[in-house]
Amino acid sequence: MPLSDFQIAKKRFDFLTWGGGRLILRERRLAHGAELRFDCLHASAMKPAAFKYKAATCLEHALSLKAEHGDDAKFLAGGQSLIPTMNFRLAQPAVLIDINGINDLAGIRPSATATRVGPLTRYRALQRDATFTHVFPLIGEALPHIAHPQIRNRGTIGGNLSHADPASELPAIALALGARFQVRTATQQRWIGASDFFVSALTTDLKPDEMLVEIELPLPKPRTGSCFMEVARRRGDFAIVGVAVMMTLGERNECTKVSMAFCGVGETPIDAGSAADVLIGGAPTEETIRDAAASVQTMIKPGGSVHATADYQRHIAGVLTERALQAAYQRARDGH
């Protein structure tokens, strides 16, 4: 699968940051020990490359346009990630397909076994739906951590998941919940599990002519507790480390199922459920929870960044694992 300009930049540079009217890109240190070099793009250069604008009138129209243009076309939903990368010319689509007029792609549709969410559903709509956040408290707890109100007003769940930033909260939450994604082309459709959807940093299993059209969230079982926690430099920043936990208890308060996923510590959201297998079959104790945290620290391979070393990320992952597992257990036991 060909890499976008933005993906190439993310692989080439340690970090991208905005400050003082400049986009600063720091190159990775080369194997032979070459010095780091800084490149800057002035704000005056922040204009997207030329592109054609197409406003899709329905889903079939959007899919036919994607089939026609393939990788040269990008869908415009909330635009909270796409537009900045276009302004920096890290993404240069030839065609922009605006799907904001397709009302059928937005909304929350509950059923007896699962809730389906349209990809054009805004964070704001999820956050303000008391029924939804009651059924999925893991998402309700995480939403205030996602960026800022202005971005949550426009950003969409489908755009976030398709962008697949490994430091973002929703991909890890989708893993913890066991979500499935329906994707479509102009001629066919298929379902992809969250564990198979995220391939690498900013890369998904979506083919050039495919579009994410629905997110399916299975309903949590009775006596299930959840917890989301993260550490970030500032409220609204991407997480240095974030963890999402789901824990189900039996009649004797024994743990019957636990899922756990991390953001910010790998090239994709990390499924760390196997690290918590030590909890299965008994009531979680301080000792078994510490063992799970130690397993997480061994399992993950964070890359570190300008804001946190890999060792610090590993340490924080262990701390958050203990706290989140304890909170999820308490909530499951108390019925919250």
Side-chain angles (χ1 to χ4, degrees):
M1 181 180 297
L3 294 175
S4 69
D5 293 338
F6 187 39
Q7 290 166 333
I8 293 171
K10 290 282 282 188
K11 288 179 176 294
R12 177 182 175 190
F13 298 106
D14 275 330
F15 70 92
L16 295 82
T17 186
W18 170 254
R22 299 169 181 265
L23 175 70
I24 303 173
L25 311 175
R26 188 182 75 175
E27 289 196 30
R28 297 185 188 278
R29 187 177 297 275
L30 302 178
H32 60 270
E35 290 300 313
L36 298 175
R37 182 170 58 84
F38 290 83
D39 292 334
C40 299
L41 299 177
H42 289 272
S44 59
M46 286 180 55
K47 297 294 181 183
F51 62 89
K52 294 181 179 180
Y53 173 85
K54 305 283 187 179
T57 56
C58 63
L59 177 58
E60 289 70 22
H61 184 205
L63 292 174
S64 68
L65 289 170
K66 196 70 166 78
E68 178 182 354
H69 298 286
D71 268 337
D72 290 332
K74 299 291 183 184
F75 290 117
L76 174 64
Q80 300 305 293
S81 298
L82 178 60
I83 297 303
T85 58
M86 288 177 61
N87 285 341
F88 289 136
R89 301 204 175 190
L90 298 173
Q92 298 186 35
V95 180
L96 211 56
I97 305 171
D98 190 340
I99 62 173
N100 281 278
I102 308 176
N103 294 329
D104 291 344
L105 288 179
I108 302 168
R109 296 174 283 276
S111 70
T113 58
T115 293
R116 293 188 173 184
V117 181
L120 206 58
T121 306
R122 319 267 174 201
Y123 302 123
R124 175 186 62 184
L126 299 178
Q127 197 168 6
R128 292 182 176 180
D129 191 314
T131 301
F132 179 82
T133 54
H134 175 74
V135 175
F136 299 101
L138 181 64
I139 298 178
E141 189 170 20
L143 282 169
H145 293 278
I146 299 175
H148 305 285
Q150 297 90 334
I151 290 176
R152 294 197 294 272
N153 286 343
R154 288 297 302 167
T156 64
I157 182 172
N160 177 283
L161 294 169
S162 298
H163 186 56
D165 193 313
S168 184
E169 294 86 355
L170 282 181
I173 289 169
L175 273 181
L177 288 173
R180 294 198 309 156
F181 306 132
Q182 184 186 12
V183 302
R184 282 186 56 181
T185 68
T187 59
Q188 59 186 356
Q189 67 177 33
R190 64 186 177 117
W191 286 90
I192 311 173
S195 58
D196 297 320
F197 186 76
F198 304 104
V199 176
S200 63
L202 305 176
T203 306
T204 69
D205 192 46
L206 286 169
K207 294 181 172 57
D209 59 344
E210 284 184 328
M211 177 184 182
L212 173 61
V213 298
E214 196 167 51
I215 298 98
E216 182 185 77
L217 305 172
L219 298 183
K221 294 181 179 179
R223 304 208 72 202
T224 294
S226 65
C227 182
F228 179 85
M229 292 183 175
E230 73 172 38
V231 170
R233 288 181 64 242
R234 298 169 300 186
R235 185 79 165 188
D237 282 4
F238 279 118
I240 292 173
V241 180
V243 61
V245 170
M246 297 281 290
M247 184 184 297
T248 303
L249 301 182
E251 295 180 356
R252 299 184 302 277
N253 289 332
E254 77 279 13
C255 178
T256 60
K257 183 179 180 181
V258 61
S259 59
M260 182 165 54
F262 285 84
C263 59
V265 295
E267 290 290 297
T268 63
I270 302 299
D271 183 348
S274 61
D277 285 348
V278 66
L279 305 177
I280 301 295
T285 64
E286 289 186 6
E287 181 180 359
T288 55
I289 288 175
R290 280 197 302 270
D291 289 343
S295 295
V296 164
Q297 291 175 316
T298 301
M299 172 187 299
I300 63 174
K301 295 178 173 58
S305 70
V306 67
H307 301 308
T309 65
D311 286 342
Y312 178 75
Q313 286 183 288
R314 195 175 289 109
H315 168 71
I316 292 299
V319 173
L320 292 185
T321 297
E322 291 191 40
R323 294 179 181 177
L325 287 173
Q326 289 167 351
Y329 173 56
Q330 188 70 38
R331 292 170 181 176
R333 194 173 60 179
D334 295 345
H336 295 308

